[in-house]
Every structure is written in C-alpha cells, then in structure tokens.
Amino acid sequence: MPPLSTQDTIGSNCYDCGHGRCAGFAGGLRELTRRTVRAEIANKATELFLQQGFDETTIEQIAAAVGTSGRTVFRYFPTKEDMVLADMLEQGYDVASALAARPAGEAAWEALRRAFDECLIASGNDGGMALARATMVATTPSLRAASLHRRDQWIDLLYPHVLSRVHGPRGYRELRARAIVSAALACLHTAVDAWTKSAGKQRLDALLDAAFDAVSS
C-alpha cells in the first residue's frame, strides 16, 4: 500500500449532514477509504505489537510502518488499545445479526451459544492471528481492561435480540435479557482465557460448550 496522505482528505465524519443517505456516492467512497485506512493501520500496528510487544511499540513506529505521521494515526485511533480491538465491535454486530436470525422458538441460551459460532469461525480461519491477539489481550493489563469495555458494548448490541425469548414479568424482561447476555459473554471470556492458556491446544468450541454447560446445569 502506498504511503498514506497526511492531508485530511477523508475527514473525521462519515456523513456531510444528519442522515445516512445524504452523502451519496462521494460519501460512500469517503467512508470506504476511511475503513481501508483504518484496517491498514490496525493490521500494521498489530503486527508490530506481536513482534515487539504492545507497551514497547510507539505510535511513531506504527506511523512509519504505514508511511504517515503520528498525528494522522491518532486521527483514526485515539489509543493503541483501539488499534488492537478495532474489529471487536464489528464482530459484535455480526454476532447480533446471527442472533437475530436464530429460530423464534429457540431458547435464549441456545440462541446465544449458536450465535457465538460467528466468533469461532473467524478465529479458526486466520492462520493463528486470533490466538496470538487473544493471548496479547489476556496478558496486557490495559488491553484486558479495554476489552471489558467492548464487552459492555456487546451487551447493548445483543440483549434486544434476547428480549423476545425471555419470559416473566414485563418490567423485569430487559434486566433478565441483559443478565443472560452478560452470563453468555462471561462464558465466552472464560473459554477464550482457557484457550490462550493452552496455547491453542484445546479447541475453543469445546471450551465454550463446557462453559455454557457449566452455567446451565
């Protein structure tokens, strides 16, 4: 990829006015370009973090790797943690879509487990990158803390698709839905931790099944 321009040709906002249709072709191209640049920065940064260590890698080194300035890098990512976890929210949207597509009569717990297959598919087809990144997150305090914030965002994304599967008094359904999603995400977090500690020797799907079974038994 050629060096990134330090000129702010993309802009900090995806849209030119208050609704998504206003930008037209130019806005869509601008957003596509922005996504491409973000992905390039995140990929290069993650490579450096894995090679040199997260805390040891500087913004200047990341900027040099993508051929731009540190100021431009900060325009796309306020922190180094955001570079590592950039796609976690996007993955949350994928899981939410998978959850929404589950059969209407399926229990919330089973629907969540099956929706998490989106994560497993992604982690199994990337040549070990998911394991390396998960290990880095698990062993870096600032990344681990930032990942918990992303997990809170996942709760907001997922619980609306659980509400229709929850029974009981109407006034408690949102609370129950959020509690079920929180428990499911705790299972996912625990399974990923065990996966990294085994250096990938244990299968992530089996670990996740065991965690879900432990909570539901």
Side-chain angles (χ1 to χ4, degrees):
M1 180 176 177
L4 304 181
S5 170
T6 57
Q7 297 299 314
D8 191 11
T9 58
I10 295 171
S12 59
N13 199 336
C14 298
Y15 302 106
D16 293 326
C17 66
H19 58 81
R21 293 177 297 173
C22 66
F25 176 77
L29 182 61
R30 184 162 56 248
E31 174 63 10
L32 177 61
T33 304
R34 182 176 176 80
R35 285 176 176 270
T36 301
V37 173
R38 279 178 57 86
E40 177 70 6
I41 293 172
N43 290 338
K44 289 294 186 183
T46 299
E47 288 177 13
L48 289 173
F49 294 151
L50 293 174
Q51 292 169 5
Q52 303 177 173
F54 180 80
D55 291 328
E56 291 74 16
T57 301
T58 67
I59 293 296
E60 289 70 24
Q61 289 172 326
I62 296 167
V66 294
T68 189
S69 67
R71 180 178 179 182
T72 297
V73 170
F74 275 125
R75 190 158 61 236
Y76 289 97
F77 293 102
T79 68
K80 292 197 299 182
E81 288 78 9
D82 288 327
M83 298 175 197
V84 178
L85 303 172
D87 64 347
M88 191 171 174
L89 188 57
E90 290 298 323
Q91 194 174 50
Y93 282 110
D94 291 340
V95 173
S97 295
L99 182 57
R102 298 302 303 170
E106 191 172 53
W109 196 243
E110 178 64 17
L112 281 162
R113 171 60 191 87
R114 297 277 66 87
F116 285 164
D117 283 338
E118 290 292 318
C119 304
L120 306 186
I121 292 170
S123 67
N125 297 324
D126 67 354
M129 180 59 72
L131 177 60
R133 185 166 57 182
T135 301
M136 179 170 61
V137 171
T139 56
T140 307
S142 64
L143 282 172
R144 195 172 181 90
S147 72
L148 293 178
H149 173 65
R150 296 298 194 283
R151 188 165 64 178
D152 288 343
Q153 292 177 315
W154 274 40
I155 294 173
D156 291 335
L157 287 174
L158 301 184
Y159 92 85
H161 303 293
V162 173
L163 277 172
S164 63
R165 304 173 190 274
V166 171
H167 305 292
R170 184 175 298 275
Y172 290 99
R173 286 183 185 174
E174 179 176 335
L175 182 149
R176 290 168 63 86
R178 284 182 173 275
I180 291 169
V181 172
S182 296
L185 289 173
C187 288
L188 179 61
H189 181 76
T190 301
V192 170
D193 267 359
W195 184 51
T196 60
K197 288 175 182 176
S198 76
K201 293 182 175 64
Q202 292 183 278
R203 287 177 47 181
L204 182 54
D205 60 340
L207 292 167
L208 186 55
D209 286 337
F212 264 68
D213 289 346
V215 174
S216 62
S217 63

